[in-house]
Amino acid sequence: DGGITQSPKYLFRKEGQNVTLSCEQNLNHDAMYWYRQDPGQGLRLIYYSQIVNDFQKGDIAEGYSVSREKKESFPLTVTSAQKNPTAFYLCASSIPGRDAYEQYFGPGTRLTVT
Amino acid sequence: AQSVTQLDSQVPVFEEAPVELRCNYSSSVSVYLFWYVQYPNQGLQLLLKYLSGSTLVKGINGFEAEFNKSQTSFHLRKPSVHISDTAEYFCAVRGYNFNKFYFGSGTKLNVKP
């Protein structure tokens, strides 16, 4: 079955450590996205990529970095510069362009930094 | 930039009662509209979407939404809710000329027996 996988489901890190969240899709979608979700704030866009080897900052990119070396993979690194990294992180993919294609979401990774 | 407003952060309702979750968006251009549902600690699932044509859109699990261009609204409705509908619901917008999606802050629907 096609879909998006995120691993791990739960992740714990000590403050000051970088951590990388995995996102893989087999939907053959060109566009991929990373969102952060905090209670009562909805989804906020961190980074997005429309094509391999290209990505753009979203609304809250500070303290995060991404890479897009393969179409199916879009890992997110939460760096020690991110002041409040504890959150639920969601990866999504879509077909880019002008058509009304919806986003497909992975199951999410809950990151806790202490 | 576009924005999406979900007017109610929480909506309590009794089982088998009707429910309406409100969504308004700001945009000077035509948009595509979506409603997603999220169960605890899971990703988002698409409920329905408005692309064009009929303003009444039917989705999964008995939900429907009505697009009102003059009021820039896209309210979600269900005539009779079940306990299993307890979840958080997100309204989202995608502009014709944008590759970004804009989400509301979510509405938690709590269905009581």
Side-chain angles (χ1 to χ4, degrees):
Chain A
D1 288 338
I4 300 176
T5 57
Q6 292 186 244
S7 60
K9 180 71 172 175
Y10 298 94
L11 191 53
F12 299 88
R13 281 293 184 271
K14 295 289 188 183
E15 193 174 327
Q17 293 179 336
N18 292 354
V19 58
T20 297
L21 281 61
S22 168
C23 176
E24 303 279 333
Q25 56 99 357
N26 60 4
L27 299 167
N28 201 33
H29 287 170
D30 287 304
M32 296 187 74
Y33 307 76
W34 272 107
Y35 292 93
R36 171 183 171 135
Q37 185 177 19
D38 297 282
Q41 296 193 47
L43 277 67
R44 293 184 290 169
L45 182 64
I46 304 173
Y47 269 97
Y48 65 105
S49 169
Q50 300 298 306
I51 198 169
V52 173
N53 292 323
D54 187 44
F55 48 82
Q56 288 78 40
K57 292 182 179 180
D59 302 316
I60 56 164
E62 185 176 352
Y64 299 97
S65 66
V66 293
S67 63
R68 187 81 188 278
E69 297 176 0
K70 298 186 296 183
K71 185 176 184 178
E72 58 270 22
S73 180
F74 192 41
L76 173 74
T77 297
V78 184
T79 74
S80 56
Q82 168 51 231
K83 295 181 180 179
N84 297 297
T86 294
F88 190 53
Y89 291 87
L90 287 162
C91 179
S93 71
S94 178
I95 300 174
R98 291 172 172 250
D99 294 321
Y101 294 106
E102 66 270 25
Q103 289 185 316
Y104 293 78
F105 283 84
T109 292
R110 186 166 295 281
L111 173 65
T112 302
V113 177
T114 57
Chain B
Q2 295 169 296
S3 67
V4 180
T5 302
Q6 291 184 244
L7 297 168
D8 304 299
S9 60
Q10 297 192 43
V11 173
V13 63
F14 287 105
E15 193 173 19
E16 297 183 6
V19 70
E20 178 180 82
L21 306 184
R22 296 179 292 171
C23 173
N24 288 87
Y25 66 94
S26 66
S27 176
S28 59
V29 299
S30 297
V31 296
Y32 300 121
L33 296 153
F34 307 86
W35 274 101
Y36 287 87
V37 60
Q38 184 182 35
Y39 299 100
N41 290 314
Q42 294 186 24
L44 276 66
Q45 301 172 29
L46 182 69
L47 274 178
L48 49 79
K49 61 183 176 181
Y50 172 77
L51 311 181
S52 63
S54 173
T55 57
L56 184 63
V57 180
K58 294 189 182 296
I60 62 171
N61 300 339
F63 283 93
E64 61 182 33
E66 186 159 17
F67 170 61
N68 188 318
K69 187 174 183 179
S70 62
Q71 297 186 10
T72 59
S73 68
F74 190 53
H75 301 332
L76 181 70
R77 302 187 183 102
K78 186 169 182 177
S80 176
V81 295
H82 301 131
I83 295 288
S84 59
D85 292 324
T86 294
E88 190 160 18
Y89 293 79
F90 291 93
C91 182
V93 165
R94 179 181 187 181
Y96 281 167
N97 297 321
F98 305 109
N99 286 312
K100 292 166 65 174
F101 292 75
Y102 297 87
F103 287 83
S105 55
T107 297
K108 289 186 178 178
L109 178 63
N110 183 17
V111 181
K112 304 176 182 180

